[in-house]
Amino acid sequence: MSASGGGRKAASTSSADLVDLLARAVGAVREAAAFALDPGEELRVEAKAHRNDLVTQVDRGAEERIVRRLEATGIPIHGEEAHRVEDFETYRGRVWVLDPIDGTLNYVSTHRDWAISLALVDDGVPVVAVVADPVAGRLYTAVRGRGARVEPLTEGAAGAVGAAPRVLETVEDLPLSEGMVIAHYQLTQDAGIGRAIEASRGMRCYGAAALEMTEVAAGGAVVYAQPRLQPWDVAAAALLCTETGVVLTRMDGAPFDVRRAGSLLVGTPAAHAEVLEYLSPDRC
Ligand code: IPD
Ligand code: CA
Ligand code: CA
């Protein structure tokens, strides 16, 4: 299914509207998470573009559940599996951007480190974010200009260890030497990233971009780098990052626009600057 609307001017959204839209988004993600945690049948796994690009009936079913819950908002949906907005790269106005399961390989293979990622993007700027880590029982949310928080995914539950409701404070501006780098395996061949990893406390790779970006926003790592991501991978976690003072650019330092696929370099201001320096073509 696709919707058009490129060139449409944004309806201005008040702060109260955004809080209402966040509540709807949270309800939709909670329903999809419960379904994905217990779909009640064997997984049917198919490959898409290549053998490690997987989709299951749960990715599709989670997307459908969220789309149904958000229909009443009248806002179009740009989702990974079946709902596309035409000319998304230049889309103006409000649009939900959805990855029903981020980290499908993990969902299928290790059963952890997968997420549901939903953002409301207005004129290319994320204004509402929901990232669920269902296995850890955590729900991360943000409204632009109003900060980010984490709470138990299940309403009323004590939640997993560390999931007590709390505001995500502005990240401590740690340098590379005091934190972990999360990098995609393809980047281990990159000399600049290799030097950055050596200067850090070590490298991790969890295989779900939304959770990896969220880890930086939550202070668990100082850098995340990836050679190519899609809008649905990053839209929600990008707001968690900006609301916590984390810097996002392309890996060459160019400005980042969530509507366009491309590389991503996320970090505390200090560590982000250090990695850019290591990646600089003058420093080989
Ligand atoms: C993938 C994950 C992975 C990233 C890939 C994405 P998917 O999302 O975020 O960490 O390295 O580029 O495609 O396909 O599981 O939704
Ligand atoms: Ca994804
Ligand atoms: Ca996905």
Side-chain angles (χ1 to χ4, degrees):
M1 192 192 291
S2 78
S4 67
R8 189 167 64 84
K9 186 64 203 95
S12 70
T13 314
S14 73
S15 188
D17 287 341
L18 291 183
V19 170
D20 176 58
L21 290 167
L22 172 66
R24 286 169 187 267
V26 164
V29 167
R30 281 194 159 125
E31 181 188 335
F35 164 67
L37 282 168
D38 185 12
E41 58 177 350
E42 287 289 300
L43 274 188
R44 295 188 297 279
V45 184
E46 292 165 40
K48 297 192 289 184
H50 54 81
R51 71 183 184 89
N52 288 332
D53 180 20
L54 304 182
V55 64
T56 71
Q57 84 275 25
V58 177
D59 298 64
R60 296 192 175 111
E63 183 160 315
E64 282 317 311
R65 281 165 172 76
I66 291 172
V67 167
R68 270 205 303 274
R69 289 282 292 252
L70 296 180
E71 240 161 31
T73 67
I75 299 170
I77 299 193
H78 194 64
E80 180 176 10
E81 305 306 341
H83 297 81
R84 293 292 162 86
V85 161
E86 281 170 27
D87 300 323
F88 184 71
E89 287 199 350
T90 53
Y91 192 85
R92 304 290 305 274
R94 294 187 302 176
V95 56
W96 293 109
V97 181
L98 169 65
D99 193 339
I101 305 269
D102 181 44
T104 300
L105 259 176
N106 291 343
Y107 182 75
V108 169
S109 308
T110 62
H111 316 298
R112 59 180 167 79
D113 299 319
W114 55 273
I116 298 177
S117 169
L118 175 63
L120 179 65
V121 173
D122 192 346
D123 276 356
V125 178
V127 291
V128 166
V130 182
V131 175
D133 180 345
V135 174
R138 295 192 182 107
L139 184 76
Y140 298 87
T141 60
V143 172
R144 186 162 186 253
R146 299 181 65 144
R149 47 183 278 128
V150 58
E151 63 194 279
L153 175 60
T154 309
E155 275 172 296
V161 176
R166 70 181 170 95
V167 167
L168 294 183
E169 304 292 349
T170 301
V171 290
E172 198 180 341
D173 192 10
L174 295 175
L176 264 181
S177 58
E178 292 184 39
M180 218 91 81
V181 170
I182 305 175
H184 190 263
Y185 74 93
Q186 285 168 352
L187 292 175
T188 53
Q189 307 300 317
D190 182 289
I193 290 288
R195 286 193 291 269
I197 291 167
E198 272 169 30
S200 77
R201 287 206 191 275
M203 183 204 144
R204 298 290 182 273
C205 179
Y206 303 112
L211 292 182
E212 290 167 310
M213 294 169 71
T214 299
E215 190 74 51
V216 181
V222 292
V223 165
Y224 169 59
Q226 232 281 7
R228 190 170 171 85
L229 289 165
Q230 299 293 333
W232 44 76
D233 297 318
V234 299
L239 182 58
L240 298 175
C241 287
T242 52
E243 288 298 313
T244 52
V246 169
V247 179
L248 298 93
T249 63
R250 300 297 181 194
M251 285 183 65
D252 62 0
F256 166 72
D257 181 333
V258 295
R259 291 170 294 187
R260 296 182 186 186
S263 70
L264 184 62
L265 178 62
V266 170
T268 62
H272 180 276
E274 283 178 83
V275 176
L276 271 187
E277 184 66 23
Y278 281 118
L279 292 172
S280 153
D282 305 335
R283 185 170 167 163
C284 295

